[in-house]
Amino acid sequence: MRNYAIGDALARFMRMRGYNVLHPMGWDAFGLPAEQYAIKQNVHPRVTTEQNIANFRRQIQMLGLSYDWEREIDTTDPAYYRWTQWIFLQLFNSYFDLVDKKAKPIAHLIHELQNENLVVGPDGSVHLNPTQEGLEAIFGDMRIERLWRELDEAEQRAVIDGQRLAYMDDAAVNWCPGLGTVLANEEVIDGKSEVGGFPVVKQPMRQWVLRISAYADRLADDLAELNWPESLKDMQRNWIGKSVGAEVDFDIDPASIPPAGAGEDDGLTVTVYTTRPDTLYGATYMVLSPEHELVLRITSPGNRAAVEAYRAAVATRSERDRLAETKDKSGVFTGAYAINPVNDEKIPVWIADYVLMGYGTGAIMAVPAHDQRDFDFATKFKLPIKAVVMPDDGWLKSTMSGKWKTLEPRIASEEMVMSVADLNDVVREKVEEWSAEEQDRMAGLAQSGDGHLLNEMRRAYRNHPEAFGAAFAGEGIAINSLAINDLATAEAKERMAHVLAAEGTGRKAVKYKLRDWIFSRQRYWGEPFPIILDASGNPLAVPEAELPVTLPEMADFRPTGTMDPPLSKAKDWINVTVDGKPAVRETNTMPQWAGSCWYYLRFIDPSNPNRFVDAEKEKYWMPVDLYVGGAEHAVLHLLYARFWHKVLFDLGHVSSPEPFQRLVNQGTILGEPEYTVFETAEKRAVSAADVEMVYEAASDVAEAKMKSSGETVFPRRVDEADVERMKDGWVLKADPGIRVDSRSYKMSKSRGNVVNPDQVVGEYGADTFRLYEMYMGPLEAQKPWNTRDIVGMSRFLSGVYRNLVGDEEAGKTATITDGQIPDDLDRQMHRTIKKVGEDIESLRFNTAIAELIKLNNEIGRMGAEVPRALAETFALLLAPLAPHLAEEIWNRLGHGESLARAAWPKFDAAKLVETTLELPVQVNGKLRGTVSVPADAGEEQVLEAAVLVGSVKPWLEGKTLAKRIYVPKKLVSFVVK
RNA sequence: GCAGGAGUGGCGGAAUUGGCAGACGCGCAGGACUUAGGAUCCUGUACCGCAAGGUGUAGGGGUUCGACUCCCCUCUCCUGCACCA
């Protein structure tokens, strides 16, 4: 509710300033939350959706929000989703041109293929025709690409369908049995569904997918120009996850793998992706993801059983279990060896679940000395660790110092002895014989930066990086790396890229974490796809003229319990005829986010039957000047909407490359603060200082345990009256030794701390409610609700009413005069006009309200008569924040017209100037008094007056005046000795 | 673990080119009006101290005539990401 109050206040303010304001409201009502609710209520989602919209609309109107209801839209209305489907067809009918880096119509792609500017690769990918590039001489004989005319119809079709921005794919998807649908990566948090928290498993399935990854670069780069919170931009950049590195080809040693079978190739190559090609010489083993396609082919007979068992174990483990075990590495050796292209070293090939199939190439070169994960793995499986980057001195010192300090002499590792042997010139003792004091002494020595010892440490690192107990992942100077020795990391990367390119064994590569957007949902309550599948399962677009494809009415809309969508039961709806041949409709529906990807455009022109938005109107209003929304949409709605918008922009349907110019996050409102005491099973209270929350692996369940004993303790809520504040925390009044936990929790039904706006508005009125929400503090911050505080705003408003209208209970009417505003009050009024205007503009509503309260208090002090000019100005200033009361005052002042369109008051800069200044006077930085001087007094005049101030004088007597400082119109400061 | 944000009275918060810390609201205390007050008005309210004065913006150090504000270290809380090679 808070964001609505904010948006409305700003909208009203801007209208009074003379702007055209588009301030609409709409309902994004398709999708899982709405459908889950309907299933729970056992009512058709259409019905529950309408009920919820009606209730929401009632609450919003109750608050007096100045929405333009003629622009109201509903994403579940066929007149709306007709255009959602239309935009889907735009995606379906376009592809991403890699040269121009933008979407273009698919017809253009076909044209380019027919003209043989483009050719088709063996995997169906599309490339520039090398013969057009004058490379025929080189590639002519061994051309692996094919020309368009060399493909049969089915192949042509597959190539085109594979290039669309909306395409069908068989990839492994996030199947959520609890919801009976597939989810997008963005909808899965910690291996569970964002909606409902159900487990999610990976499952191959044929799905509609949107090629958002093609836009990864532009989605990341264009963030720079947007006026959004940095944290939100970071979240999007992080999600897009761009990384620059290199791909390196490792040949598999043919002698180490089973001989090739029929139709199999002997010369196998595994390509790995790395961001640190400069560490290639330090690769001591290779790891493939367990799902990697070559795993079974390269596994030797002796290792087969172990490999298969491991693969099976990984496959059955849920995403969540896998995440829970990031500390403890697991994996098995395949028996195969790969050949490092830079030094022809043979390194063992392992499989391990810490390498994910979904990122990079699903295979890594492990450099244990310079990657902590590889280091952990190598340590566990006793694989070699080779240093190829020399760390900075600080790292060497603190790592070695830390290592020595925490050493337990009896179980000191072999490596440690070796490293000490290396440092022998300095350290003669054996590690085993060190006492605790000696450990401390050695740790201090390591930290001291002794030049000789430092040299020894460098030597030790070069030969025994494992002895330092941790990987060095930072940048440094390349060592033990023939081609790039002595180069700093950045240069070493460059140099290595050249070496690899020259050898043909590697190339620069850019990778993204962002995956394509899985767009099908096996649910009922969503937009049907405007797609028909022919007898071979090929997708055909429903002609634009036939849109919308309406959602069939179904009594049983529940998930089927299988992977078949509910729509598969609507037989009449499914079966259609195309060109006299039978075909079926796509039975998946679009996800929750589809409708909200473009609603801001429809608001501009909500009932246009001919276009999704009129082009002229779109140009006039877009982009959105201010978007007030929560950060929870950072990688969902806000990323998806930007993606759709960019596609529409590329295809020339909208005029701006970004939809939302300025965006602010409003903080959520938490429940009332709660106090919690922890007790043992025997109801003995323990201090919260001794309690920590322990999160069980693979679950969200937190248990409170005592730090000292490990005993489980239980929280119990205590009343505010039973606690008091001590110096460093809240304690029980009855037993001040017991600290209690004090915090506010998210509002939730289960916790029972939800505030019902209806009740608050019923008791205090809409204006008070709005004011309270805005007065709580900066809008970005999360704030606890505190019912006790509301009365302050209520008192303020009744004070305003008493001052400007009268006290009806006491039978007094305020007297409005035509007289002059007294000087003091006039100055205060102009100051308030200035401050309120500036504050609202920069969305600081809390301080704007504080300023109005001050002015009202002054008016109250003045007495019974209020000059009309002052009363009118006050009503206008109050109007954006508390519109109902402001309107009534305006009306009582004799205005027939609403003040919603009245002009915002202007302040007179001349009135702000003070004639006398009260300046603070400091002596040696301490405040000793104030001096009153005329505003136009010169420096010397002010300083002379300041010296004579009664409270200042004693501090100057008998001292030497060393310095006199006058900061104009701010303060006076004397330095004495 | 990594990244970002924050830490100011009993509570929500104000003050940022470095210049009177605690605006404004709540709460609390005292008083006025009142049959009554959970209405309204007035006064007070960071802490120690009778006072003079001293101390105070998470803790420690630094720069400065002067630091909530700038620099270094530490702690706590929030938010996001998390085996991303």
Side-chain angles (χ1 to χ4, degrees):
Chain A
M1 283 275 147
R2 197 157 165 235
N3 51 337
Y4 302 130
I6 291 162
D8 189 58
L10 193 73
R12 286 175 183 272
F13 173 71
M14 294 309 276
R15 273 190 215 107
M16 290 175 78
R17 297 278 299 270
Y19 291 91
N20 278 333
V21 177
L22 183 59
H23 187 221
M25 173 52 74
W27 316 101
D28 180 24
F30 267 142
L32 280 173
E35 191 172 7
Q36 286 299 96
Y37 178 78
I39 290 172
K40 216 166 120 201
Q41 301 294 312
N42 200 24
V43 182
H44 194 279
R46 168 110 273 146
V47 177
T48 53
T49 299
E50 274 166 14
Q51 285 169 354
N52 287 338
I53 288 178
N55 189 41
F56 226 128
R57 191 191 290 117
R58 182 188 58 75
Q59 288 196 334
I60 280 169
Q61 287 175 337
M62 167 179 86
L63 288 180
L65 300 179
S66 60
Y67 287 120
D68 184 348
W69 290 103
E70 303 207 332
R71 296 180 184 276
E72 180 178 9
I73 56 180
D74 169 0
T75 59
T76 68
D77 180 354
Y80 179 88
Y81 69 67
R82 166 191 177 173
W83 295 105
T84 307
Q85 291 172 338
W86 179 82
I87 296 173
F88 177 84
L89 290 181
Q90 298 300 309
L91 288 152
F92 179 74
N93 285 321
S94 44
Y95 76 107
F96 194 79
D97 184 295
L98 289 170
V99 176
D100 291 347
K101 298 197 187 308
K102 58 179 278 197
K104 292 185 183 176
I106 205 92
H108 183 259
L109 175 69
I110 295 172
H111 183 78
E112 290 291 295
L113 283 161
Q114 283 169 344
N115 285 352
E116 299 181 1
N117 289 328
L118 296 173
V119 292
V120 177
D123 57 353
S125 56
V126 172
H127 307 280
L128 287 177
N129 188 347
T131 60
Q132 303 277 331
E133 302 274 287
L135 299 174
E136 193 169 14
I138 302 169
F139 289 104
D141 287 346
M142 42 186 289
R143 183 164 65 88
I144 48 174
E145 286 94 359
R146 289 184 295 168
L147 297 171
W148 183 246
R149 58 183 148 83
E150 294 169 317
L151 305 178
D152 65 29
E153 203 177 316
E155 284 173 326
Q156 287 183 342
R157 191 161 179 137
V159 166
I160 292 301
D161 285 350
Q163 291 295 315
R164 298 176 188 275
L165 290 182
Y167 63 101
M168 292 180 92
D169 193 30
D170 279 307
V173 296
N174 308 299
W175 171 250
C176 179
L179 291 170
T181 185
V182 152
L183 298 171
N185 293 327
E186 291 82 3
E187 294 172 301
V188 181
I189 315 273
D190 292 342
K192 294 194 301 187
S193 63
E194 194 202 19
V195 175
F198 298 102
V200 169
V201 294
K202 285 280 177 191
Q203 186 111 29
M205 225 171 141
R206 190 157 170 80
Q207 296 298 319
W208 281 101
V209 184
L210 302 189
R211 202 180 302 281
I212 189 172
S213 64
Y215 281 82
D217 247 335
R218 279 169 60 188
L219 287 170
D221 292 347
D222 291 356
L223 283 171
E225 302 301 314
L226 298 179
N227 183 4
W228 287 22
E230 273 312 310
S231 61
L232 198 71
K233 291 188 189 179
D234 281 345
M235 277 162 79
Q236 291 214 343
R237 284 196 196 102
N238 200 315
W239 190 259
I240 293 164
K242 180 176 182 172
S243 80
V244 179
E247 284 180 351
V248 184
D249 302 330
F250 282 67
D251 287 338
I252 300 293
D253 177 10
S256 70
I257 61 171
E264 283 182 342
D265 205 343
D266 245 345
L268 295 177
T269 299
V270 175
T271 302
V272 303
Y273 173 70
T274 176
T275 53
R276 293 293 299 266
D278 60 306
T279 62
L280 189 45
Y281 284 91
T284 55
Y285 61 103
M286 172 186 279
V287 187
L288 306 185
S289 155
E291 300 92 350
H292 197 281
E293 56 176 0
L294 285 177
V295 171
L296 290 180
R297 170 71 186 86
I298 64 170
T299 299
S300 54
N303 301 72
R304 185 158 295 267
V307 166
E308 280 175 1
Y310 186 77
R311 275 165 54 102
V314 169
T316 57
R317 206 139 24 116
S318 78
E319 190 93 344
R320 206 171 159 68
D321 290 343
R322 209 166 143 166
L323 289 172
E325 290 172 21
T326 57
K327 289 273 148 55
D328 194 25
K329 295 280 181 289
S330 69
V332 293
F333 179 43
T334 60
Y337 286 83
I339 299 167
N340 188 334
V342 289
N343 57 10
D344 292 337
E345 253 174 47
K346 287 182 186 157
I347 59 174
V349 180
W350 287 61
I351 61 170
D353 65 358
Y354 83 91
V355 175
L356 310 174
M357 198 56 224
Y359 186 76
T361 59
I364 63 158
M365 59 175 210
V367 185
H370 305 293
D371 181 294
Q372 192 58 44
R373 292 155 302 165
D374 297 344
F375 187 95
D376 295 342
F377 191 85
T379 307
K380 175 158 179 185
F381 293 104
K382 305 242 180 327
L383 291 157
I385 298 174
K386 183 180 162 194
V388 290
V389 179
M390 181 55 70
D392 53 277
D393 297 347
W395 188 88
L396 288 172
K397 283 193 267 185
S398 62
T399 309
M400 186 52 91
S401 159
K403 179 96 183 165
W404 280 348
K405 200 162 204 160
T406 58
L407 198 64
E408 287 191 38
R410 291 218 184 88
I411 57 165
S413 65
E414 230 173 279
E415 292 85 0
M416 202 60 223
V417 179
M418 282 163 57
S419 86
V420 173
D422 247 352
L423 297 176
N424 234 359
D425 293 353
V426 183
V427 186
R428 291 185 208 293
E429 301 93 328
K430 281 210 175 112
V431 174
E432 284 94 330
E433 291 156 11
W434 285 2
S435 65
E437 292 75 40
E438 278 167 321
Q439 275 177 40
D440 274 350
R441 188 175 62 80
M442 294 309 298
L445 191 61
Q447 191 65 68
S448 74
D450 175 272
H452 186 51
L453 181 59
L454 203 50
N455 269 336
E456 292 301 325
M457 283 197 280
R458 291 203 193 101
R459 194 151 66 85
Y461 189 82
R462 183 179 289 269
N463 298 318
H464 293 288
E466 72 283 359
F468 286 71
F472 172 71
E475 305 206 337
I477 304 296
I479 54 173
N480 294 333
S481 303
L482 190 62
I484 54 169
N485 271 333
D486 301 327
L487 293 179
T489 299
E491 302 163 63
K493 282 182 183 176
E494 277 303 310
R495 182 88 200 100
M496 187 55 83
H498 282 115
V499 170
L500 291 170
E503 299 283 326
T505 51
R507 63 216 65 88
K508 281 191 181 175
V510 177
K511 300 283 175 196
Y512 302 91
K513 280 201 291 184
L514 182 68
R515 298 277 79 106
D516 278 343
W517 178 12
I518 297 161
F519 199 68
S520 303
R521 296 294 177 274
Q522 292 68 44
R523 297 295 292 246
Y524 171 73
W525 195 234
E527 299 87 348
F529 283 82
I531 291 290
I532 290 169
L533 302 169
D534 69 16
S536 331
N538 292 318
L540 307 168
V542 171
E544 272 181 38
E546 289 175 29
L547 297 181
V549 176
T550 52
L551 193 60
E553 279 308 316
M554 292 177 74
D556 182 13
F557 54 85
R558 283 165 189 74
T560 56
T562 69
M563 287 181 162
D564 292 327
L567 287 184
S568 62
K569 292 183 285 191
K571 297 293 178 211
D572 293 347
W573 181 80
I574 292 174
N575 292 306
V576 291
T577 309
V578 178
D579 298 337
K581 288 180 222 148
V584 293
R585 289 190 188 279
E586 167 66 59
T587 54
N588 286 304
T589 52
M590 297 189 202
Q592 184 183 350
W593 315 101
S596 62
C597 270
W598 71 284
Y599 68 97
Y600 54 90
L601 290 166
R602 191 63 177 173
F603 277 138
I604 291 169
D605 194 12
S607 49
N608 190 331
N610 304 318
R611 200 167 186 271
F612 72 113
V613 57
D614 179 81
E616 285 305 311
K617 290 179 182 168
E618 189 274 334
K619 213 178 255 172
Y620 177 74
W621 287 106
M622 285 300 289
V624 175
D625 293 306
L626 177 68
Y627 187 116
V628 183
E632 69 273 16
H633 288 138
V635 295
L636 289 157
H637 163 61
L638 289 174
L639 194 60
Y640 297 154
R642 291 182 63 218
F643 162 50
W644 278 35
H645 195 86
K646 284 185 182 304
V647 175
L648 291 172
F649 174 71
D650 287 351
L651 298 176
H653 298 308
V654 297
S655 61
S656 65
E658 283 285 339
F660 314 123
Q661 232 335 286
R662 181 179 181 203
L663 183 146
V664 295
N665 289 137
Q666 94 281 6
T668 50
I669 296 181
L670 306 171
E672 299 252 359
E674 297 177 25
Y675 302 91
T676 311
V677 64
F678 292 94
E679 295 175 331
T680 61
E682 303 86 43
K683 301 276 177 240
R684 184 173 51 83
V686 300
S687 180
D690 187 31
V691 173
E692 64 180 340
M693 298 306 254
V694 179
Y695 290 87
E696 289 302 318
S699 82
D700 270 344
V701 184
E703 231 183 317
K705 294 205 155 119
M706 287 178 69
K707 284 182 201 162
S708 50
S709 64
E711 193 179 345
T712 301
V713 291
F714 305 91
R716 180 173 65 83
R717 191 170 167 184
V718 287
D719 200 82
E720 192 187 348
D722 296 329
V723 296
E724 65 181 326
R725 176 76 197 210
M726 298 296 269
K727 194 167 185 292
D728 39 35
W730 290 88
V731 298
L732 282 182
K733 265 187 191 160
D735 183 355
I738 303 298
R739 279 264 289 277
V740 297
D741 182 64
S742 156
R743 65 177 65 209
S744 301
Y745 298 89
K746 269 191 195 148
M747 286 195 191
S748 71
K749 277 192 191 134
S750 57
R751 191 168 269 278
N753 60 352
V754 177
V755 173
N756 180 359
D758 286 352
Q759 209 182 327
V760 180
V761 172
E763 197 169 335
Y764 295 98
D767 282 351
T768 298
F769 182 70
R770 291 169 55 124
L771 235 36
Y772 172 66
E773 288 198 310
M774 292 190 278
Y775 193 63
M776 285 197 290
L779 78 151
E780 318 84 41
Q782 285 200 348
K783 287 297 153 213
W785 178 269
N786 218 323
T787 301
R788 204 167 57 187
D789 289 344
I790 297 173
V791 71
M793 292 303 106
S794 177
R795 283 180 196 156
F796 163 55
L797 292 179
S798 31
V800 171
Y801 193 86
R802 257 197 319 278
N803 285 340
L804 304 185
V805 178
D807 187 340
E808 277 152 12
E809 259 179 65
K812 289 180 198 156
T813 310
T815 312
I816 304 295
T817 70
D818 287 324
Q820 285 277 310
I821 306 172
D823 276 358
D824 283 0
L825 209 50
D826 197 35
R827 184 176 307 125
Q828 175 73 19
M829 183 183 86
H830 283 278
R831 212 178 291 161
T832 306
I833 296 171
K834 180 167 189 278
K835 179 109 173 83
V836 171
E838 288 171 355
D839 283 353
I840 293 180
E841 206 157 356
S842 45
L843 309 179
R844 290 189 305 255
F845 298 100
N846 51 338
T847 49
I849 294 167
E851 207 61 23
L852 285 170
I853 294 173
K854 262 155 81 172
L855 182 58
N856 182 53
N857 289 346
E858 291 299 322
I859 296 173
R861 261 186 279 275
M862 185 178 61
E865 298 193 341
V866 181
R868 170 171 299 274
L870 176 58
E872 290 191 340
T873 301
F874 197 93
L876 292 169
L877 294 179
L878 188 63
L881 305 163
H884 299 94
L885 178 64
E887 197 70 64
E888 175 161 359
I889 294 170
W890 190 247
N891 187 267
R892 299 254 186 157
L893 289 172
H895 294 278
E897 295 277 301
S898 161
L899 50 47
R901 297 278 172 189
W904 185 253
K906 286 195 169 60
F907 64 89
D908 180 352
K911 294 265 173 73
L912 298 175
V913 179
E914 305 266 1
T915 51
T916 321
L917 297 174
E918 284 281 317
L919 298 176
V921 183
Q922 294 181 346
V923 179
N924 283 352
K926 291 224 187 324
L927 183 69
R928 296 304 179 187
T930 57
V931 60
S932 192
V933 294
D936 54 1
E939 172 162 357
E940 213 37 51
Q941 193 185 345
V942 173
L943 287 169
E944 273 162 27
V947 176
L948 298 175
V949 171
S951 58
V952 175
K953 241 175 159 176
W955 297 96
L956 302 175
E957 272 161 14
K959 305 273 174 60
T960 317
L961 198 52
K963 202 172 179 183
R964 302 186 307 164
I965 297 158
Y966 173 54
V967 182
K969 298 191 196 292
K970 289 278 188 189
L971 64 28
V972 178
S973 185
F974 296 115
V975 185
V976 297
K977 277 178 189 154

